[in-house]
Amino acid sequence: MIRSAVIVFPGSNCDRDVKVALEAITGFPARMVWHGESEIPACDLIVLPGGFSYGDYLRCGAMAAHSPIMRDVVAKAKAGTPLLGICNGFQILLETGLLPGALMRNASLRFICRDAFLRCETKDTFFTRCNRVGEVLRMPVAHHDGNYFADEDTLDRLEEDGRVVFRYCDADGAVTEAANPNGSQRNIAGITDSTGRILGLMPHPERLFEPQLGGTDGRRIFESAVVSIAEAMVG
Amino acid sequence: MNDATESTVPFEVTDELIAEHGLKPDEYTRLLEIMGRQPSLTELGIFSVMWSEHCSYKSSRFWLKTLPTSGACVIQGPGENAGIVDLGEGWAAVFKMESHNHPSYIEPYQGAATGVGGIMRDVFTMGARPVANLNALRFGDPSHPKTRHLVSGVVSGIGGYGNCVGVPTVGGEVNFDAGYNNNILVNAMCVGLARTDKIFYSAAKGVGLPVVYVGSKTGRDGIHGATMASAEFDDKSDEKRPTVQVGDPFTEKLLIEACLELMASDAIIAIQDMGAAGLTSSTAEMADKGGVGIELNLDQVPQRETGMTAYEMMLSESQERMLMILRPGSEAAAEAVFRKWDLDFAVIGRTTDTGRMIVTHKGKVEADIPVATLANSAPLYERPWVPHEPAKVILPQWVPPPDAGILPCLKTLMGTPALASRRWVWEQYDHMVMGDTVQRPGGDAAVVRVHGTQKGIAACCDVTPRYVAADPEMGGKQAVVETWRNLTAVGADPLAVTDNLNFGNPERPEIMGQIVGAIKGIGEACRTLDYPVVSGNVSLYNETNGVGIPPTPAIGGVGLIPDVQKMASVDLKREGELLVLIGEEKGWLGQSLYQQHAAGKLEGAPPPVDLAAELKAGRLVRALIRERVCDTVHDCSDGGLLVAVAEMALAGDMGAELFVYEGKLPGHSVWFGEDQGRYVVSVAPAAAEEVLGRARLLELPARIVGRTGGASLTLAVEASLPLSELRMAHDSWLPNYMAGV
């Protein structure tokens, strides 16, 4: 049994999408947890879904980071429960300080919704162990504020520690400016914490997890999580 | 009953005041007869919005009644917040299209955003979760100084609202024409999904029931929006900015979740959104449909500003508000749901058996009006109209061939504002959220799955205003069949339409002639295709300084795909397939884009629509898709056959060799003629004969026009046109234009 929990904030709108993907891929029901709760029932994976928590008012993710449930999210993550933040969920992870940096308005200043190509930079994380390093994945982005920013020292440290998980690239895997949809520094699309158990990424893996939606590259992130969880159970 | 007049500050009803309320002198006389006394200011305001064109359809109702509105699939036709069609197995599609033209011209971001918000409320108020948004946008000529600003504002407003609420914006259309320079059109459509046993209506049936206000607080925004939407523009229109409402998509998202959560219980007897004319029209319509009276205590209305008068509260068009009639005793449980979602909840009145709408504020009666009269006494005009002068038929040989050759002409056409890629627009809309979009924007129709099933809802919107301008009746018919073909092309059974009729001033007989003609054409097409009109909206007085917009009856079509695994899309998929054109070719160049852009002038009659032939071609194409003979289909519309093939090639990133035409028509008229009733299908070579044979049996012309493969379009003796070059022309116009390049 794989127990996953999806946190629902007022304004979350990819909560159902990620639930559907989780249930299809893990084979077990995912639990929806309202932001006003104080505790998440014991689980193997926590997901902060995409959307516009609190309408993106103040700053994307800023108010959700202070929702009652976040105390337990942070506590559980620090205690080792894997945590995945997608899009607005990534923004929330940055606001809580679990991951470094900030997501600024897209360089184009426009909302952008389209498929992007991602190059997988490391398989040493909870969520990418089924990928190959250098593998190119197609995954949709849909955001207004996905322009990853951190100071140079932080970026260098992330690179040195192998914590840059995904970079925007072209279909052939070349990391170019033209392939960068939002102006992110060093084409960064996703980063992890030092343990590889907390992943924040702007693209939406749940939007391409079955052929009818146009592709299955997004599946791999959840499949890696399933393998990681299963291994932990056995091990 | 004289309380009303006694309670209000004495005021004089001057001719000017009546005119400011958009009432004609004879309409005011009618009001006096109904009331039997001078109205209070609040009452005057209430009548003015209820009798506005926007709310009363006073100029169009006579003709709207001629439209077919029933059919085997129809659960709810016009008259409710939205139309409803049956999708089988307990599912229903709830949909409607509505204009937000005037606000969007004055304040494009908020105007468009609140248009999207309003149409979604019309849908979820009936118990449906919105699952797809579409929009039909018309802007002025690209060279007009305001156009870029308006495109930018409207597109970001639509995206800003829909993206935040989390409903995918999956389709629509964008046109540019100098006729919209000073009066753009923003028509928003929403499709929702409901269970057939959980549909909610607006009739407040029952006496002594609590009237409950939920959602956002009431402010002074949008006062007289409905009246503004029913007036012509002049040079001072920019001064009307304060009447444009401001949207809050976050609150809308909460309101959707709260309403759907409460709808799962049995607390709600009736529900309606507060749209145009806000509290006034929602209370009047709900009470009238329920055959009851209604008492409102405005002191209980949640207010955003201090010192609001009864007049202001009754006419405010503040967004994201709903009115509900609850089952007595369920108030507390209902309130808990709305409090959980941080929304206002207030019992503001009761239904009564008096048949009157009585509005009190600070202990004074501010309005006391018989409900049925208010709701049903709006003037009905059978306005004089003149039939449109028939346009002459242009023969293909009268229109000269392109100087530079067919393929260079194609490249030019594909880079015009009329045909250039709309990617810049729809990439600003989240078109994938909700995880059921199985055909994204850019094809003939968008398709979203019925969540958790293999059924697909196909939706599109279309109209070709230049055809309607040349021949309103034929143009109206064509708008309907184009949606029908677009639904067919993805493999859907077309079910029903919503219409958004945008015209100029109906008090001018030639404009009224356009309205009458278009409605006749729409009616005939819908009747013949068994494709009824289940909802709609009329937007008149789209004029600036006496010049009307091109007549624009936008049609939104909805269809059902029983199994999305048997679906077609426009992109070429496999090399070596044969392209078969189904449908009759006449080389019709009158009113074609070729005529406009290559021959330099637009004239003559638009292509005729043969409804019997449409039915046959549509049935054949759907059968081919269902039997999996083909999964690549595109209808021929703007720009004709060659543009259709080019769009298929670009979408699939695969070229095609086009065969030389050996018939009697001039070659350019075959490639660029806009004959109706045609589809291009791509099939395996072995299946091509079967397709031709089946067409022959139906007495439908069909021929093989090319073969897929390569990275270019090639045409006999002409130099080939590399797709990369075509793509550059097609993709670059809009981004370059918006960047000011």
Side-chain angles (χ1 to χ4, degrees), chain A residues 10-14 16-17 20 34 52 54-55 57 110-115 140 142 207-208 210 212-213, chain B residues 163-164 166 248 250 253 341 424 427-436 438 440 449 451 454 564-565:
Chain A
S12 292
N13 63 28
C14 301
R16 188 187 77 177
D17 306 1
V20 169
W34 181 241
F52 289 68
Y54 292 94
Y57 297 141
R110 292 191 297 272
F111 189 95
I112 175 111
C113 177
R114 65 171 162 86
D115 286 353
R207 292 191 180 187
L208 276 186
E210 55 165 334
Q212 273 184 10
L213 296 174
Chain B
N163 299 346
C164 179
D248 177 2
F250 174 57
K253 167 70 175 168
W341 291 98
W424 183 91
E427 281 193 347
Q428 294 184 57
Y429 304 150
D430 189 336
H431 46 269
M432 296 180 242
V433 64
M434 296 187 90
D436 281 309
V438 292
R440 299 183 190 178
R449 280 182 308 207
H451 188 67
Q454 289 295 302
V564 290
Q565 300 192 44

Side-chain angles (χ1 to χ4, degrees), chain B residues 401-680:
Chain B
D403 298 331
I406 299 291
L407 290 177
C409 180
L410 170 71
K411 191 177 136 188
T412 306
L413 279 176
M414 291 291 280
T416 58
L419 289 173
S421 169
R422 270 47 174 155
R423 179 178 293 274
W424 183 91
V425 173
W426 49 257
E427 281 193 347
Q428 294 184 57
Y429 304 150
D430 189 336
H431 46 269
M432 296 180 242
V433 64
M434 296 187 90
D436 281 309
T437 305
V438 292
Q439 279 212 35
R440 299 183 190 178
D444 279 325
V447 182
V448 295
R449 280 182 308 207
V450 173
H451 188 67
T453 77
Q454 289 295 302
K455 286 178 191 286
I457 302 176
C460 61
C461 37
D462 295 284
V463 59
T464 312
R466 62 181 188 277
Y467 294 173
V468 191
D471 182 340
E473 190 166 339
M474 196 59 83
K477 221 186 274 189
Q478 193 275 341
V480 173
V481 297
E482 188 167 345
T483 64
W484 193 85
R485 275 200 303 270
N486 281 331
L487 298 175
T488 298
V490 297
D493 292 315
L495 294 177
V497 305
T498 178
D499 60 355
N500 199 149
L501 310 177
N502 308 273
F503 292 90
N505 181 349
E507 294 162 45
R508 294 202 285 132
E510 66 277 17
I511 300 286
M512 199 60 216
Q514 292 176 338
I515 299 170
V516 172
I519 292 177
K520 283 183 177 174
I522 291 167
E524 188 191 338
C526 287
R527 252 186 306 277
T528 308
L529 300 173
D530 188 18
Y531 189 40
V533 180
V534 295
S535 59
N537 166 245
V538 178
S539 172
L540 304 179
Y541 298 94
N542 290 290
E543 308 223 338
T544 305
N545 296 331
V547 182
I549 54 156
T552 314
I555 304 293
V558 169
L560 172 68
I561 301 178
D563 178 356
V564 290
Q565 300 192 44
K566 294 172 186 168
M567 184 168 75
S569 55
V570 299
D571 51 305
L572 297 181
K573 297 171 185 69
R574 289 164 294 271
E575 301 225 340
E577 287 196 337
L578 292 175
L579 297 171
V580 180
L581 172 68
I582 296 169
E584 188 179 5
E585 294 173 278
K586 298 195 193 93
W588 197 281
L589 289 172
Q591 296 296 334
S592 67
L593 288 181
Y594 174 83
Q595 190 194 38
Q596 183 175 17
H597 293 280
K601 62 178 172 187
L602 202 52
E603 61 175 358
V609 172
D610 177 344
L611 293 169
E614 293 280 355
L615 275 171
K616 285 195 286 189
R619 280 180 195 140
L620 174 60
V621 168
R622 278 194 300 275
L624 295 174
I625 297 169
R626 300 277 165 86
E627 295 164 27
R628 302 198 187 203
V629 175
C630 73
D631 60 4
T632 305
V633 179
H634 192 12
D635 83 312
C636 294
S637 55
D638 275 339
L641 170 61
L642 192 53
V643 165
V645 173
E647 287 170 346
M648 296 169 84
L650 288 175
D653 204 14
M654 182 183 294
E657 175 197 354
L658 297 157
F659 300 153
V660 176
Y661 169 76
E662 287 168 341
K664 291 184 185 133
L665 294 165
H668 64 291
S669 76
V670 170
W671 293 117
F672 298 115
E674 295 184 4
D675 302 301
Q676 298 294 298
R678 298 184 303 159
Y679 302 82
V680 178

Side-chain angles (χ1 to χ4, degrees), chain A residues 5 64 107 136 164 190 205 227:
Chain A
V136 177
V164 174
V227 171

Side-chain angles (χ1 to χ4, degrees), chain B residues 344-379:
Chain B
D344 272 301
F345 177 101
V347 177
I348 62 166
R350 302 250 150 217
T351 58
T352 66
D353 61 1
T354 62
R356 303 187 75 84
M357 176 202 267
I358 298 173
V359 179
T360 58
H361 186 221
K362 295 184 175 165
K364 293 175 188 161
V365 173
E366 292 284 350
D368 181 352
I369 307 170
V371 166
T373 320
L374 177 63
N376 302 304
S377 66

Side-chain angles (χ1 to χ4, degrees), chain B residues 706-719:
Chain B
R707 181 187 294 114
T708 65
S712 305
L713 290 179
T714 61
L715 175 55
V717 294
E718 288 200 21

